Amino acid sequence: MRARHLLPMVLLTASLRPAPAGATVMLHRSADELAAMADAVVVGSALRDARGAVSGVARWASGRIVTDVPVTVHVPIAGPWAAGASLTLRLPGGVVGDVGQTVAGAPVFRPGESYVLFLQRLPDGAWTVLDMSAGMFPLRADPVRGLLVHPSRAEGITFVNPPGPPVVEVAPEGEPLAPFVTRLRRAVH
């Protein structure tokens, strides 16, 4: 009799335990909002190593793994770099020896891809992508429309919509780069 009453209590207790987070949760922001918040905005791509993979050096920093990824600036939109300049971005996660750390929503550069990058300066002077992978918009060439900016992949991020009107997104089919850059330059000044 007593065991029969214990089972519902065990099930209730187990159901009240918080589940582990499966994603990074953040406020949904438009490209204009990201530009206004960013310390710099560039069009750039990660350097590749001899094998063609994205170049980067993972290391321990304050008890966690970060990866420093060198990026070439193709189009400066706002910030201290000129076209052709190099900068290093510090990204969360990576592999050092036999230990790997992943962070849901962390920026991931794909070899050969260029991105509009919304950048944040960290207190120690290093640079990172603002709002994780939500702060990098991939570019794709279209034979008719030219170079197009596409919505952020924002992989591993769950967005919370802010109160008020819906967030204006980049069109799913992409937006031409030149007017997008002009719009961002207005947003940062």
Side-chain angles (χ1 to χ4, degrees):
M1 186 85 163
R2 191 171 194 168
R4 190 171 54 175
H5 295 289
L6 187 59
L7 181 59
M9 184 59 101
V10 169
L11 292 176
L12 176 64
T13 303
S15 70
L16 295 176
R17 256 187 53 228
T24 298
V25 179
M26 64 178 45
L27 192 62
H28 198 189
R29 302 181 207 281
S30 69
D32 293 345
E33 290 172 306
L34 288 169
M37 293 174 60
D39 296 314
V41 184
V42 301
V43 174
S45 58
L47 297 179
R48 293 190 274 180
D49 64 19
R51 300 175 322 227
V54 170
S55 183
V57 177
R59 60 186 173 80
W60 286 99
S62 302
R64 61 190 176 99
I65 297 175
V66 297
T67 300
D68 295 325
V69 177
V71 170
T72 298
V73 174
H74 303 300
V75 179
I77 298 170
W81 303 284
S86 292
L87 66 120
T88 300
L89 296 179
R90 182 182 300 159
L91 306 177
V95 177
V96 175
D98 293 337
V99 179
Q101 290 182 344
T102 58
V103 178
V108 176
F109 285 88
R110 295 187 175 154
E113 284 195 5
S114 292
Y115 303 86
V116 174
L117 300 166
F118 299 88
L119 304 178
Q120 175 183 18
R121 189 156 208 156
L122 298 172
D124 67 358
W127 291 89
T128 193
V129 178
L130 176 68
D131 277 4
M132 309 272 279
S133 63
M136 56 191 300
F137 291 64
L139 303 182
R140 301 271 188 282
D142 181 275
V144 176
R145 297 175 65 206
L147 204 52
L148 301 177
V149 179
H150 286 268
S152 170
R153 290 187 190 104
E155 296 163 342
I157 297 177
T158 299
F159 289 106
V160 175
N161 289 318
V167 174
V168 177
E169 283 290 338
V170 174
E173 66 277 6
E175 294 183 25
L177 179 60
F180 188 78
V181 167
T182 300
R183 187 174 103 202
L184 293 182
R185 284 189 173 133
R186 279 194 301 258
V188 297
H189 293 296

